[in-house]
Amino acid sequence: MPWVLRGLRDGVVTTRYPRRPDGYGALFDGAITVLSPAPAVDRQTGGDPEIPAGLCPTGAIFVDDDSAQTVRVDRGRCILCGRCVEGRPDLFAFVPDTETAGLTRTALVVPPSPGTEEETRAVRSELARRVRGLRRSIHIRHVDGGSDGAEEAEISALTGPIYDIQRLGMFFTASPRHADILLVTGVGTAGMTEELRRTLEAMPDPKVLVAAGTDAVSGGLVGPTYASLGGIGALVPPDVYVPGSPPSPFSLLHGLLLALGLLPDDRRTR
């Protein structure tokens, strides 16, 4: 009976996201941003941007080879360790953001490069055409492609009372033959190549592939090795990329809704 009393005391705890923003998002440092698109000029020489060696363990920070030498962060490689914020607080900062998923790999780079928006619009239009018939009773097949288990913990939270993914008409299924979305976690180990291929082939069309987590997007800390291919993109091309190590349940929801075109037009920013 304790659960009855707890329910009466707490009331409805299920989030209203995506219909209404959730207050949790303003409290969660879910992404790294560059405070200014201008380069961080070396204070002594006035020359190239000064990015200390070892500032980013995954190489997510780079200086674009453009005329402005713009410093950018690839969120698809970022594991949110915070070293860049600690080492260069004048240039990098955490931002409270859970809607970090992108429809293209380049959409995960901030600040965006010229042409990113046009590329994203074209991809969004094509994806919307493919999934036009997927609006209700969406079934998701999850495959672990070499994960450390962190993403799985966040995925399991989606079925709990707070996020309650079923209220959106989304359900997890054990069979790829019943699935509309393939949600893949992990670095993409060589041993999973055939399994991922067979799972995709078993899914009926139209189908959507979502790379969940920085490991799935780019390989994360592991990267390409003799046993891993540096993300599942080397095995199968994703339709949606959800960065984060691990991504929060809200980030996963954002990626799934983005894949299906179920977000309001004014929030389709990536």
Side-chain angles (χ1 to χ4, degrees):
M1 295 299 290
W3 61 272
V4 175
L5 298 176
R6 186 167 63 250
L8 292 173
R9 182 184 69 244
D10 297 339
V12 177
V13 297
T14 304
T15 178
R16 296 294 187 265
Y17 181 86
R19 183 175 299 175
R20 282 184 286 182
D22 193 279
Y24 168 86
L27 304 174
F28 179 70
D29 291 334
I32 296 289
T33 191
V34 181
L35 293 177
S36 171
V41 177
D42 189 306
R43 298 176 182 83
Q44 295 181 346
T45 67
D48 292 336
E50 178 189 11
I51 305 297
L55 189 64
C56 180
T58 62
I61 299 171
F62 65 97
V63 179
D64 201 349
D65 189 19
D66 58 9
S67 58
Q69 291 286 288
T70 306
V71 177
R72 304 188 192 276
V73 174
D74 182 358
R75 290 178 174 174
R77 298 190 63 86
C78 177
I79 58 172
L80 300 174
C81 65
R83 290 187 185 181
C84 59
V85 177
E86 182 179 352
R88 289 298 305 272
D90 60 316
L91 187 59
F92 305 103
F94 280 106
V95 289
D97 191 6
T98 57
E99 296 190 339
T100 55
L103 294 176
T104 64
R105 186 65 181 82
T106 54
L108 302 184
V109 177
V110 293
S113 302
T116 300
E117 283 298 318
E118 291 77 4
E119 179 188 8
T120 301
R121 278 195 292 268
V123 171
R124 182 187 302 129
S125 176
E126 172 59 22
L127 184 59
R129 184 193 64 79
R130 280 173 44 201
V131 303
R132 191 170 292 121
L134 300 179
R135 287 295 182 269
R136 293 177 178 269
S137 189
I138 304 300
H139 286 75
I140 305 167
R141 173 75 170 110
H142 167 235
V143 172
D144 181 348
S147 170
D148 59 6
E151 287 81 7
E152 280 66 25
E154 304 301 309
I155 290 172
S156 66
L158 292 175
T159 60
I162 295 179
Y163 304 99
D164 189 17
I165 195 174
Q166 293 90 343
R167 68 190 162 86
L168 301 174
M170 298 184 187
F171 307 88
F172 284 93
T173 180
S175 172
R177 299 190 184 279
H178 301 157
D180 307 295
I181 295 177
L182 180 59
L183 185 66
V184 184
T185 57
V187 297
T189 59
M192 285 299 295
T193 303
E194 181 63 17
E195 284 69 16
L196 279 174
R197 184 190 65 79
R198 291 171 61 184
T199 300
L200 270 176
E201 286 183 352
M203 294 173 60
D205 291 323
K207 51 195 170 189
V208 179
L209 175 61
V210 177
T214 298
D215 286 350
V217 173
S218 66
L221 277 172
V222 177
T225 68
Y226 73 94
S228 63
L229 303 179
I232 67 167
L235 306 178
V236 285
D239 295 297
V240 178
Y241 301 85
V242 185
S245 187
S248 75
F250 280 123
S251 297
L252 293 168
L253 280 177
H254 175 250
L256 293 171
L257 294 168
L258 188 65
L260 298 170
L262 296 178
L263 289 175
D265 288 337
D266 60 349
R267 288 169 56 187
R268 295 176 184 174
T269 58
R270 298 174 177 84

